């Protein structure tokens, strides 16, 4: 019986397998899966292309290198310019040429060689207690090292990518020595040891443990939309500090195509779609990030924070200081 049934089974599987050959894209994401889901859903609904997202917290470049040409991943989604460039420098990406991407993404937000593309940007700002910090009391990043903040500053670990990038930008502006002194000053001002994420610092301000903290802009959007965290958000206002002779520190989230990319065509479609008006609007409305595509509006909440001057320092210049920044952070032992 088994033998005679075998061809039927094979046939049935063969028939069922046909739709499974439908296009798909495999994504390794360094971003939280819930941030990506609304984008994936909209893209799949429109194109019929399945997008499988695997969350990769650490060791993205190492994993892709180990998998080599047999990697199932087509795309890498990540935050932080230095992380994006690490993947590129590990040789596990490929160059993508696309008029759509070149048209939608301004030149300063993409690699001239086509190995990485920025999809959203965000500012690293100061959250300041509405009660205990006066308007205009904090204006620059440099000022965070001043004595007046003694015991009033909270931050997440400085080895976190966002703070490494900020430190790298400080090095690009002022050099290693001055940045070392700045880190010493910041360390001396800490209300407690660095711990938690950016939102935990706002919680600490709400709880009265400190008066100011560093954080990325979109976390405000996440907090106001969370029943528990809304109160934290309401205890602070957003201040866009600048470098003394520059603007507000920016970073990006972005995408790269892997060298292996088994589903290259579908992956390119997804990349291009992520830069479209529709996707950029989803990023703006659901994640409260700044769209990179010109003409796509910021969310009302983000708009309500007012305008600011982004720092003129290029992303690549910031990323180039990553190693120096990490070394300095470890030397000063700001987390210790
Ligand atoms: Fe984040």
């Amino acid at each position: 019986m088994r033998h005679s049934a075998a061809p039927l089974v094979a046939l049935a599987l063969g028939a069922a397998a046909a739709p499974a050959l439908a296009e798909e894209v495999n994504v390794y994401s360094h971003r939280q899966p819930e941030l990506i889901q609304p984008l994936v859903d909209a893209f799949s609904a429109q194109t019929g292309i399945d997008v499988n997202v695997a969350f990769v917290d650490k060791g993205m470049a190492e994993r892709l290198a180990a998998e080599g040409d047999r990697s199932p991943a087509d795309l890498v989604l990540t935050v932080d310019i230095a992380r994006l460039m690490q993947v590129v420098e590990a040789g596990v990406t490929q160059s993508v040429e696309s008029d759509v991407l070149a048209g939608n993404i301004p030149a300063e937000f993409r690699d001239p060689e086509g190995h990485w593309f920025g999809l959203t940007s965000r500012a690293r700002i100061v959250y300041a207690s509405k009660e205990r910090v006066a308007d205009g009391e904090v204006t620059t990043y440099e000022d965070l090292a001043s004595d007046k903040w003694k015991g009033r500053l909270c931050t997440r670990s400085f080895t976190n990518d966002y703070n490494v990038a900020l430190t790298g930008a400080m090095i690009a502006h002022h050099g290693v020595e001055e940045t070392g002194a700045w880190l010493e000053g910041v360390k001396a001002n800490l209300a407690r040891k660095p711990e938690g994420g950016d939102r935990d610092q706002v919680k600490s301000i709400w709880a009265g443990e400190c008066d100011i903290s560093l954080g990325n802009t979109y976390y405000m959007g996440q907090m106001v939309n969370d029943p528990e965290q809304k109160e934290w958000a309401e205890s602070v206002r957003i201040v866009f500090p600048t470098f003394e002779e520059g603007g507000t520190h920016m970073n990006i989230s972005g995408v790269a195509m892997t060298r292996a990319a088994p589903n290259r065509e579908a992956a390119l479609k997804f990349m291009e779609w992520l830069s479209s008006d529709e996707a950029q609007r989803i990023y703006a409305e659901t994640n409260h990030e700044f769209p990179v595509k010109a003409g796509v509006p910021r969310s009302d909440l983000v708009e309500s924070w007012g305008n600011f001057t982004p720092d003129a320092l290029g992303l690549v210049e910031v990323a180039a200081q990553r190693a120096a920044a990490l070394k300095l952070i470890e030397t000063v032992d700001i987390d210790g």
Side-chain angles (χ1 to χ4, degrees), residues 31 35 79 122 156 162 198 216 218-219 222:
R31 307 207 64 183
L35 296 182
V79 289
R122 60 279 298 284
R156 78 194 301 167
Y162 305 148
D198 282 351
N216 286 354
Y218 56 86
Y219 285 116
Q222 294 181 10

Side-chain angles (χ1 to χ4, degrees), residues 71-131:
S71 175
D74 298 296
L75 299 176
V76 170
L77 280 174
T78 183
V79 289
D80 183 52
I81 179 62
R83 288 283 173 188
L84 205 46
M85 289 184 65
Q86 268 178 359
V87 177
V88 174
E89 279 157 17
V92 291
T93 58
Q94 64 174 289
S95 172
V96 171
E97 229 182 285
S98 153
D99 291 343
V100 174
L101 290 171
N104 288 345
I105 304 173
E108 69 264 32
F109 290 125
R110 57 186 159 83
D111 176 24
E113 310 291 323
H115 278 269
W116 58 264
F117 297 85
L119 294 170
T120 62
S121 75
R122 60 279 298 284
R124 192 140 186 84
I125 50 101
V126 164
Y127 288 110
S129 164
K130 282 179 184 167
E131 277 175 20

Side-chain angles (χ1 to χ4, degrees), residues 107-166:
E108 69 264 32
F109 290 125
R110 57 186 159 83
D111 176 24
E113 310 291 323
H115 278 269
W116 58 264
F117 297 85
L119 294 170
T120 62
S121 75
R122 60 279 298 284
R124 192 140 186 84
I125 50 101
V126 164
Y127 288 110
S129 164
K130 282 179 184 167
E131 277 175 20
R132 299 181 299 278
V133 179
D135 259 334
E137 204 179 338
V138 54
T139 54
T140 67
Y141 297 106
E142 287 87 345
D143 180 60
L144 298 177
S146 111
D147 280 351
K148 73 178 182 194
W149 299 114
K150 188 141 276 171
R152 299 172 71 192
L153 176 61
C154 280
T155 177
R156 78 194 301 167
S157 164
F158 252 72
T159 61
N160 170 269
D161 290 337
Y162 305 148
N163 283 338
V164 175
L166 176 65

Side-chain angles (χ1 to χ4, degrees), residues 127-132 151-156 190-214 223 228-229 231-233 235-236:
Y127 288 110
S129 164
K130 282 179 184 167
E131 277 175 20
R132 299 181 299 278
R152 299 172 71 192
L153 176 61
C154 280
T155 177
R156 78 194 301 167
L190 293 178
R192 57 159 167 71
K193 259 173 108 125
E195 61 179 23
D198 282 351
R199 278 171 290 181
D200 295 303
Q201 317 312 317
V202 178
K203 183 183 183 185
S204 291
I205 294 174
W206 167 78
E209 289 162 18
C210 42
D211 297 343
I212 56 170
S213 70
L214 282 165
M223 287 186 291
E228 190 202 344
Q229 299 172 5
E231 256 187 285
W232 313 348
S235 74
V236 297

